[in-house]
Amino acid sequence: SQILLPLILQDLANPNVGVTIFDPKEDLALKARDLAKRINNRKVIYLDPLDELCPKVDLFNGTANQISNVLSRIFATTNKLDGSIERANKYITRTLIEKSINVLKSFPNLCGNGLNIESYCEFISDRYNIAKVKLTKLRESLKNSGNTKRLSEVNWLLDEYFKIETGNYEKCSSFRSKLEELASNYYLQSVFNLEEPKGNILNFDEHIANGDIVIINTKNTVLGYLGKIFGEILMYLYTSAVFRRYSYNKERNIRYIKANFLYIDEFASFEPVTIDLFTQGRGFKVGTYITIQNRTILKLCGNIDTTSEAFIIESNTRNLILFPGLNGEDAEFYSSQFFNLSAAQILYRPFGQIVYKIVKNKNIIPPSVGLVFFIDETPNATSIAKEFQFDENGVIQWTRYNDFINNDFE
């Protein structure tokens, strides 16, 4: 947060950009919220599932295809947590998601009081045999309607999914159980289940277009892996909104595309749902900032193998800031990029010093050493000058610890 907070404050003070923050452990989110309150004329949306005033999240808003993609993301996340799920089960589950959502969006009365995570769970679980009774009546009405596509989907649900002898109902049990766990969690059920009239609802399309400040505290420390899944769902919703922002603005005649800066603290706590933003985000005026403990953890985001995603992230990183205390492997890796610093010189830094490589005014600045300090601290601004001497090319010439480093590490 020593690095992120000044950057966030700079963006909060700029009315021409939007800010989106994801924090799994609360401290950054709370500090950012306090800073945002001091900024006039900025709309601030603070999302904390433990807060009774938390905005609602409508997973079933949008087209059938968009909703199916969101539910498939939930299944993909839980699927990776459960390695026992076979490929055939995955195919059947995706088929269930697509066909059930197509039917429910076309005939919303099948879900009684409205389509939400709780009513959807009840539908695909067929509690009290209600879903099958309603679908059977719907099938009769569709036979002479000419709507062959919906009729075929209803037939699949009745004859292929709900019929126990096909085995398809059992193959989707993992998806149903995880979805029901989200729907029944004491805190998340309040966030996901919308009440009438619909009031305060998180809308990334609108917030990105307007340049709002969205601060999301996923509360992983309280919710555990459900907090992780909750955060990944919201990241997917955010990423989807980014990639449709041009069409959204065009439909509403919004001409000015405001930049949006995404901050994800403890990035490795989540799966890299936002990976496409690292390669395509600039085209949609989105900049991404992440923090990680080390490169090894970057390859294990969300407790899964993310080696390929780590390569994409590192290949597309424009600005890099290193704190003292890296492991030896990372220090060795970065020393090849920070050409004027050895691994030991990167690794063994006094507290408060950082090593950085940044792009400034479209120019790559040579790697250098800087200071970070808390707002209420008085920095020792001369510590770097006492330790280093720079030549005319910006290369560090050692004046302190020189013998120590040369004798023991080089």
Side-chain angles (χ1 to χ4, degrees):
S1 61
Q2 280 184 295
I3 291 293
L4 291 187
L5 277 176
L7 296 174
I8 290 172
L9 178 59
Q10 173 181 275
D11 293 334
L12 294 178
N14 183 354
N16 296 315
V17 304
V19 179
T20 307
I21 301 170
F22 285 88
D23 180 17
K25 55 181 178 48
E26 189 169 26
D27 59 335
L28 178 66
L30 291 175
K31 292 175 183 176
R33 183 188 64 176
D34 291 341
L35 289 174
K37 288 180 178 179
R38 305 177 189 178
I39 308 297
N40 294 326
N41 302 319
R42 297 298 304 269
K43 183 177 180 179
V44 180
I45 298 91
Y46 182 73
L47 196 150
D48 177 351
L50 272 65
D51 187 346
E52 61 181 12
L53 299 178
C54 178
K56 304 294 184 178
V57 177
D58 188 357
L59 298 180
F60 296 87
N61 181 43
T63 65
N65 184 58
Q66 290 171 346
I67 297 170
S68 295
N69 288 337
V70 172
L71 295 179
S72 295
R73 163 49 55 183
I74 297 175
F75 173 62
T77 299
T78 56
N79 168 29
K80 291 173 182 176
L81 293 174
D82 185 356
S84 64
I85 300 177
E86 299 178 358
R87 181 173 298 180
N89 298 18
K90 299 175 186 176
Y91 172 78
I92 293 299
T93 301
R94 291 193 181 96
T95 303
L96 167 65
I97 291 171
E98 292 173 3
K99 293 185 181 300
S100 61
I101 292 300
N102 285 340
V103 170
L104 291 173
K105 288 294 286 185
S106 299
F107 307 98
N109 61 314
L110 291 173
C111 275
N113 293 328
L115 182 57
N116 55 49
I117 192 169
E118 185 176 16
S119 62
Y120 182 69
C121 286
E122 291 179 354
F123 179 84
I124 62 174
S125 299
D126 191 31
R127 294 173 186 167
Y128 316 113
N129 205 38
I130 295 176
K132 280 190 290 189
V133 171
K134 289 184 175 181
L135 285 172
T136 301
K137 292 180 179 179
L138 177 61
R139 176 158 62 181
E140 293 303 316
S141 66
L142 286 173
K143 285 181 178 180
N144 299 318
S145 68
N147 193 345
T148 56
K149 183 175 182 180
R150 292 293 171 264
L151 178 59
S152 67
E153 291 167 340
V154 171
N155 284 335
W156 186 90
L157 289 170
L158 285 170
D159 300 335
E160 299 293 330
Y161 174 66
F162 283 126
K163 276 192 176 179
I164 301 300
E165 53 266 32
T166 66
N168 290 333
Y169 185 86
E170 179 61 29
K171 289 177 181 178
C172 298
S173 60
S174 178
F175 172 64
R176 287 197 307 273
S177 64
K178 295 300 181 184
L179 201 63
E180 288 173 359
E181 194 171 2
L182 285 171
S184 61
N185 179 270
Y186 179 79
Y187 300 108
L188 295 181
Q189 67 176 343
S190 176
V191 177
F192 285 132
N193 290 321
L194 280 65
E195 301 172 353
E196 296 292 346
K198 296 180 180 179
N200 187 15
I201 301 176
L202 182 70
N203 186 334
F204 278 122
D205 293 289
E206 177 184 310
H207 299 322
I208 293 173
N210 294 341
D212 296 333
I213 301 166
V214 181
I215 303 171
I216 299 171
N217 181 355
T218 62
K219 276 295 199 314
N220 291 26
T221 51
V222 176
L223 297 176
Y225 82 93
L226 287 180
K228 166 187 173 296
I229 296 173
F230 178 59
E232 290 165 1
I233 292 170
L234 296 184
M235 288 179 188
Y236 179 81
L237 294 174
Y238 170 84
T239 303
S240 300
V242 167
F243 289 137
R244 60 173 177 258
R245 67 179 312 191
Y246 287 115
S247 59
Y248 179 88
N249 282 24
K250 184 177 180 180
E251 290 171 0
R252 289 155 182 80
N253 198 28
I254 303 174
R255 296 185 178 182
Y256 182 66
I257 304 293
K258 292 189 175 183
N260 193 276
F261 292 105
L262 171 65
Y263 294 85
I264 306 177
D265 197 18
E266 300 294 344
F267 180 79
S269 299
F270 309 97
E271 288 184 31
V273 179
T274 58
I275 186 66
D276 289 339
L277 294 180
F278 290 91
T279 55
Q280 304 174 53
R282 291 186 66 194
F284 293 84
K285 300 190 74 172
V286 171
T288 302
Y289 300 83
I290 66 172
T291 66
I292 59 170
Q293 298 296 327
N294 55 60
R295 293 180 64 245
T296 301
I297 294 179
L298 187 61
K299 299 175 184 177
L300 291 170
C301 292
N303 297 320
I304 64 171
D305 183 2
T306 54
T307 303
S308 58
E309 289 86 351
F311 177 79
I312 293 173
I313 292 171
E314 291 184 331
S315 300
N316 288 276
T317 298
R318 291 166 56 85
N319 302 297
L320 186 62
I321 300 173
L322 306 178
F323 281 79
L326 293 174
N327 59 49
E329 180 182 347
D330 286 357
E332 194 68 43
F333 173 82
Y334 288 121
S335 67
S336 63
Q337 298 186 32
F338 292 55
F339 56 88
N340 53 354
L341 291 171
S342 69
Q345 293 164 351
I346 293 173
L347 183 62
Y348 296 100
R349 301 248 46 81
F351 180 78
Q353 290 189 9
I354 56 171
V355 179
Y356 64 88
K357 181 185 69 172
I358 63 174
V359 175
K360 185 177 181 180
N361 297 326
K362 299 183 179 180
N363 294 313
I364 300 176
I365 306 301
S368 190
V369 177
L371 286 173
V372 292
F373 51 91
F374 293 105
I375 295 174
D376 57 354
E377 284 184 331
T378 302
N380 183 6
T382 63
S383 65
I384 295 179
K386 290 179 180 179
E387 184 175 349
F388 301 118
Q389 178 181 333
F390 297 86
D391 65 15
E392 65 277 7
N393 296 318
V395 177
I396 297 173
Q397 307 297 309
W398 289 89
T399 60
R400 186 181 178 194
Y401 309 133
N402 188 64
D403 293 337
F404 170 72
I405 292 174
N406 286 338
N407 294 338
D408 289 53
F409 297 100
E410 294 186 339

